[in-house]
Amino acid sequence: MGQITVMRVYLAGPDVFLPAPLERGAALQRICAAHGLEGVFPLDPLRGGDWPEWDGLPEAFRIARRNEAHITSCDALIANLTPFRGPSADVGTVFELGFMRALGRPVFGWSNTAKAFADRTRAFIGGTVDADGLSVEDFGLADNLMIEGGIYSSGGGFFAASVLDGAVWQDLAAFERCVAAVAARLVR
Amino acid sequence: MGQITVMRVYLAGPDVFLPAPLERGAALQRICAAHGLEGVFPLDPLRGGDWPEWDGLPEAFRIARRNEAHITSCDALIANLTPFRGPSADVGTVFELGFMRALGRPVFGWSNTAKAFADRTRAFIGGTVDADGLSVEDFGLADNLMIEGGIYSSGGGFFAASVLDGAVWQDLAAFERCVAAVAARLVR
């Protein structure tokens, strides 16, 4: 019998800012495991440990290097694109999505808001252009076009759900649909 | 005499949403040219034209592909990281920053706000954690740690200025300091 290789999926998202981030990571990883995937959470120790050349880096830059190394070690990425403190997703998450897209591997996203980006933005700025005259991007997408454009071009997928306001950071149904799609793409 | 190669710098930013985006792009490109660099603005036509395989793509996804191809054709990237509709930079810009970081080329950033990310975020959410209990990242940086972490690791640089509220989308002094740093890094 051949060796079994479990595909690794990086779990990008502002989930690390939740009150119990390790428990959240474990919950996401259980869902991945149920679909035959290994979920890699940003707070996981790095496979093989931190690089000696990172000694002396400020903590923030060491975390950034570790996350980049986690992503590079994975076969795909799932981003929690639920809007975060404004009309768009968390920028750290989107940096990581762009990073993985440039590596040429499939990127996926999910969000607990199904409302269109343009509608969310207009509600946020209270009009069709903001005070400085900047226009609103309106292509009927879920967020800035680089995000869904990158997901589409990579052969990934995007999954949105409408959930109750209080459940935005709890409900994992859209995440699980996303994981199932990653599994269908990666696991033979 | 040998051939002169002009280094190309991708100009990421929400500048494309300004009321006169082509004029804005030309202003940024004049500053690049004064420092011996070719600035590539997202709205520029693609060198060699769009790829035939993009025929039939929805406009938004075609723009995303074109921007990715622009970035891939450049030697470095400068991101306008001025906060955009919330405490953080524009997510499209940050996607592109992460994309170029993964290509291993130098990424630079500038912002017309010198206030720390944590202070901006606390002002936005009106406290130290938000209504859903999500914590505020506080490493004394200008935005999420992936951004400045990626800039630092790439050998790039970040330049911030404090400008009057009404000049946030006009003042180009921090941008010019950033361009000078890119030139010092790339132009021999």
Side-chain angles (χ1 to χ4, degrees):
Chain A
M1 288 172 59
Q3 200 180 345
I4 294 175
T5 302
V6 176
M7 291 290 179
R8 289 162 57 84
V9 184
Y10 183 77
L11 302 171
D15 309 74
V16 293
F17 303 124
L18 283 167
L22 294 174
E23 288 76 357
R24 172 67 161 203
L28 301 178
Q29 287 170 324
R30 277 193 300 274
I31 292 172
C32 291
H35 290 267
L37 299 169
E38 179 182 353
V40 176
F41 197 62
L43 302 179
D44 288 346
L46 193 62
R47 215 165 48 162
D50 282 8
W51 295 26
E53 70 194 60
W54 300 347
D55 284 353
L57 276 186
E59 187 186 357
F61 291 176
R62 177 184 282 265
I63 295 169
R65 290 272 184 108
R66 192 182 299 135
N67 289 350
E68 290 183 355
H70 272 317
I71 297 166
T72 304
S73 80
C74 285
D75 303 290
L77 177 146
I78 294 177
N80 180 351
L81 297 170
T82 302
F84 182 71
R85 297 172 182 161
S88 281
D90 166 54
V91 290
T93 303
V94 176
F95 178 101
E96 296 179 339
L97 186 74
F99 189 99
M100 187 60 122
R101 167 65 185 137
L103 297 184
R105 303 176 199 163
V107 291
F108 292 75
W110 65 284
S111 171
N112 273 344
T113 308
K115 201 172 164 186
F117 175 49
D119 294 335
R120 298 198 311 267
T121 304
R122 289 188 200 103
F124 182 81
I125 66 178
T128 55
V129 295
D130 60 23
D132 297 302
L134 284 89
S135 62
V136 173
E137 182 190 301
D138 187 358
F139 288 102
L141 298 178
D143 207 322
N144 183 286
L145 61 81
M146 295 307 297
I147 295 177
E148 251 177 282
I151 289 172
Y152 173 83
S153 294
S154 80
F158 175 75
F159 301 85
S162 284
V163 305
L164 294 174
D165 279 357
V168 165
W169 300 106
Q170 276 80 46
D171 194 301
L172 292 176
F175 173 72
E176 180 145 23
R177 285 196 289 135
C178 189
V179 171
V182 175
R185 164 80 196 260
L186 292 184
V187 180
R188 273 141 283 208
Chain B
M1 288 173 59
Q3 201 177 346
I4 293 173
T5 303
V6 177
M7 292 291 178
R8 289 163 56 84
V9 184
Y10 183 77
L11 303 171
D15 309 74
V16 294
F17 303 122
L18 283 166
L22 293 175
E23 289 75 358
R24 171 68 163 202
L28 301 179
Q29 287 171 325
R30 276 194 300 275
I31 292 172
C32 290
H35 289 268
L37 298 169
E38 179 181 354
V40 176
F41 197 61
L43 303 179
D44 288 346
L46 194 61
R47 217 165 45 162
D50 281 7
W51 294 28
E53 71 194 58
W54 301 348
D55 283 353
L57 277 187
E59 187 187 358
F61 291 176
R62 177 184 281 267
I63 295 169
R65 290 272 184 109
R66 192 182 298 134
N67 289 349
E68 291 182 355
H70 273 318
I71 297 166
T72 304
S73 80
C74 284
D75 304 289
L77 177 146
I78 294 177
N80 180 351
L81 297 171
T82 302
F84 182 72
R85 297 173 182 160
S88 281
D90 166 54
V91 290
T93 303
V94 176
F95 178 102
E96 297 179 338
L97 186 74
F99 189 100
M100 187 61 122
R101 167 63 186 140
L103 297 185
R105 303 175 200 165
V107 291
F108 293 75
W110 66 284
S111 171
N112 272 343
T113 307
K115 201 174 165 186
F117 176 49
D119 294 336
R120 298 198 311 268
T121 304
R122 288 189 201 105
F124 182 81
I125 64 178
T128 54
V129 294
D130 60 22
D132 296 302
L134 284 89
S135 62
V136 173
E137 182 189 302
D138 187 359
F139 288 105
L141 298 178
D143 207 321
N144 183 286
L145 60 80
M146 294 308 296
I147 296 176
E148 250 177 281
I151 289 172
Y152 173 82
S153 294
S154 80
F158 175 75
F159 301 86
S162 284
V163 305
L164 294 174
D165 279 356
V168 164
W169 300 107
Q170 277 80 45
D171 193 302
L172 292 175
F175 173 72
E176 180 145 22
R177 284 196 290 135
C178 190
V179 172
V182 175
R185 165 81 195 261
L186 292 184
V187 182
R188 268 139 286 213

